[in-house]
Short mmCIF file of all heavy atoms in Angstrom, two decimals:
data_model
loop_
_atom_site.label_atom_id
_atom_site.label_comp_id
_atom_site.label_asym_id
_atom_site.label_seq_id
_atom_site.Cartn_x
_atom_site.Cartn_y
_atom_site.Cartn_z
N HIS A 113 0.45 21.32 -6.59
CA HIS A 113 0.78 19.91 -6.84
C HIS A 113 2.06 19.82 -7.76
O HIS A 113 2.89 18.94 -7.61
CB HIS A 113 -0.50 19.22 -7.54
CG HIS A 113 -0.29 17.84 -7.83
ND1 HIS A 113 -0.43 16.78 -6.94
CD2 HIS A 113 0.06 17.30 -8.99
CE1 HIS A 113 -0.23 15.68 -7.54
NE2 HIS A 113 0.12 15.93 -8.79
N HIS A 117 5.75 18.08 -6.94
CA HIS A 117 6.43 16.96 -7.67
C HIS A 117 7.91 17.31 -7.81
O HIS A 117 8.74 16.41 -7.78
CB HIS A 117 5.91 16.92 -9.17
CG HIS A 117 4.72 15.94 -9.32
ND1 HIS A 117 4.82 14.60 -9.08
CD2 HIS A 117 3.49 16.08 -9.78
CE1 HIS A 117 3.77 13.97 -9.25
NE2 HIS A 117 2.83 14.90 -9.73
N SER A 138 3.51 14.70 -16.18
CA SER A 138 2.55 13.85 -15.35
C SER A 138 1.39 13.43 -16.28
O SER A 138 1.41 13.65 -17.42
CB SER A 138 2.10 14.58 -14.13
OG SER A 138 1.27 15.67 -14.54
N GLY A 139 0.34 12.87 -15.57
CA GLY A 139 -0.82 12.50 -16.30
C GLY A 139 -1.70 13.62 -16.77
O GLY A 139 -2.40 13.63 -17.74
N GLY A 140 -1.60 14.70 -16.02
CA GLY A 140 -2.51 15.87 -16.22
C GLY A 140 -1.72 17.07 -16.82
O GLY A 140 -2.32 17.97 -17.38
N GLY A 166 1.89 11.87 -19.92
CA GLY A 166 1.31 10.69 -19.28
C GLY A 166 -0.03 10.27 -19.88
O GLY A 166 -0.34 9.10 -20.07
N GLU A 167 -0.78 11.25 -20.32
CA GLU A 167 -2.09 11.06 -20.99
C GLU A 167 -1.83 10.29 -22.31
O GLU A 167 -2.50 9.33 -22.70
CB GLU A 167 -2.66 12.36 -21.28
CG GLU A 167 -4.13 12.45 -21.56
CD GLU A 167 -4.55 13.90 -21.74
OE1 GLU A 167 -3.79 14.83 -21.53
OE2 GLU A 167 -5.70 14.07 -22.21
N PHE A 169 0.72 8.32 -22.88
CA PHE A 169 1.12 6.95 -22.50
C PHE A 169 -0.18 6.19 -22.24
O PHE A 169 -0.41 5.06 -22.74
CB PHE A 169 2.01 6.92 -21.29
CG PHE A 169 3.45 6.94 -21.55
CD1 PHE A 169 4.12 8.13 -21.59
CD2 PHE A 169 4.09 5.70 -21.87
CE1 PHE A 169 5.50 8.13 -21.90
CE2 PHE A 169 5.53 5.73 -22.09
CZ PHE A 169 6.21 6.95 -22.14
N ASP A 170 -1.12 6.82 -21.54
CA ASP A 170 -2.34 6.10 -21.12
C ASP A 170 -3.25 5.81 -22.41
O ASP A 170 -3.83 4.69 -22.52
CB ASP A 170 -3.12 6.95 -20.12
CG ASP A 170 -2.33 7.07 -18.78
OD1 ASP A 170 -1.55 6.15 -18.53
OD2 ASP A 170 -2.66 8.01 -18.03
N PRO A 181 -3.35 2.35 -15.46
CA PRO A 181 -2.71 3.37 -16.17
C PRO A 181 -1.70 2.83 -17.13
O PRO A 181 -1.00 1.90 -16.78
CB PRO A 181 -2.10 4.31 -15.17
CG PRO A 181 -1.89 3.43 -13.97
CD PRO A 181 -2.93 2.35 -14.10
N GLY A 182 -1.54 3.44 -18.29
CA GLY A 182 -0.69 2.79 -19.33
C GLY A 182 0.76 3.05 -19.25
O GLY A 182 1.53 2.21 -19.73
N GLY A 183 1.19 4.13 -18.56
CA GLY A 183 2.65 4.40 -18.51
C GLY A 183 3.46 3.19 -18.08
O GLY A 183 4.39 2.81 -18.85
N PRO A 184 3.25 2.68 -16.87
CA PRO A 184 4.04 1.59 -16.42
C PRO A 184 3.96 0.31 -17.32
O PRO A 184 4.98 -0.43 -17.49
CB PRO A 184 3.47 1.26 -14.98
CG PRO A 184 2.62 2.40 -14.65
CD PRO A 184 2.22 3.12 -15.87
N ASP A 187 6.05 0.99 -20.40
CA ASP A 187 7.50 0.90 -19.96
C ASP A 187 7.95 -0.57 -19.88
O ASP A 187 9.02 -0.93 -20.42
CB ASP A 187 7.56 1.52 -18.50
CG ASP A 187 8.92 1.83 -18.08
OD1 ASP A 187 9.92 1.30 -18.63
OD2 ASP A 187 9.08 2.57 -17.09
N GLY A 273 7.41 14.29 -11.82
CA GLY A 273 5.99 13.94 -12.27
C GLY A 273 6.04 12.35 -12.58
O GLY A 273 7.03 11.79 -12.82
N GLY A 274 4.80 11.83 -12.77
CA GLY A 274 4.62 10.44 -12.98
C GLY A 274 5.45 9.85 -14.05
O GLY A 274 6.06 8.75 -13.92
N VAL A 275 5.53 10.55 -15.15
CA VAL A 275 6.28 9.97 -16.37
C VAL A 275 7.77 9.98 -16.02
O VAL A 275 8.57 9.16 -16.67
CB VAL A 275 6.01 10.80 -17.61
CG1 VAL A 275 6.70 10.28 -18.77
CG2 VAL A 275 4.45 10.74 -17.91
N ALA A 277 9.03 8.44 -13.81
CA ALA A 277 9.34 7.09 -13.32
C ALA A 277 9.76 6.19 -14.54
O ALA A 277 10.23 5.08 -14.34
CB ALA A 277 8.11 6.48 -12.60
N ASN A 278 9.57 6.69 -15.76
CA ASN A 278 9.87 5.87 -16.98
C ASN A 278 11.33 5.47 -17.05
O ASN A 278 12.14 6.36 -17.13
CB ASN A 278 9.35 6.68 -18.16
CG ASN A 278 9.47 5.79 -19.51
OD1 ASN A 278 10.58 5.83 -20.13
ND2 ASN A 278 8.52 4.99 -19.76
N THR A 305 5.44 9.37 -9.01
CA THR A 305 3.99 9.39 -9.11
C THR A 305 3.47 10.04 -7.83
O THR A 305 4.17 10.25 -6.79
CB THR A 305 3.42 7.98 -9.27
OG1 THR A 305 4.12 7.17 -8.43
CG2 THR A 305 3.60 7.54 -10.78
N ASP A 306 2.16 10.47 -7.81
CA ASP A 306 1.65 11.27 -6.76
C ASP A 306 1.73 10.60 -5.37
O ASP A 306 1.51 9.44 -5.22
CB ASP A 306 0.03 11.39 -7.03
CG ASP A 306 -0.22 12.30 -8.23
OD1 ASP A 306 0.79 12.87 -8.72
OD2 ASP A 306 -1.34 12.38 -8.64
O1 KG4 B 1 2.14 12.53 -11.43
P1 KG4 B 1 1.08 11.49 -11.66
O2 KG4 B 1 1.15 10.31 -10.64
O3 KG4 B 1 -0.36 12.06 -11.62
C1 KG4 B 1 -0.65 13.28 -12.14
O4 KG4 B 1 -0.35 14.33 -11.47
O5 KG4 B 1 -1.13 13.28 -13.30
O6 KG4 B 1 1.27 10.87 -13.12
C2 KG4 B 1 0.51 9.88 -13.56
C3 KG4 B 1 0.93 9.53 -15.03
C4 KG4 B 1 0.01 8.54 -15.68
O7 KG4 B 1 -0.35 9.07 -16.90
C5 KG4 B 1 0.93 7.35 -15.82
O8 KG4 B 1 0.62 6.51 -16.94
C6 KG4 B 1 2.30 7.98 -15.89
O9 KG4 B 1 2.27 9.02 -15.06
N1 KG4 B 1 3.39 7.08 -15.56
C7 KG4 B 1 4.27 6.58 -16.42
C8 KG4 B 1 5.07 5.65 -15.68
N2 KG4 B 1 4.64 5.58 -14.44
C9 KG4 B 1 3.60 6.42 -14.35
N3 KG4 B 1 4.51 6.88 -17.71
C10 KG4 B 1 5.56 6.33 -18.34
N4 KG4 B 1 6.34 5.38 -17.75
C11 KG4 B 1 6.16 5.00 -16.44
N5 KG4 B 1 6.95 4.08 -15.87
#
Side-chain angles (χ1 to χ4, degrees):
H113 179 84
H117 268 301
S138 72
E167 197 179 353
F169 269 95
D170 295 337
D187 193 346
V275 180
N278 184 268
T305 43
D306 291 350

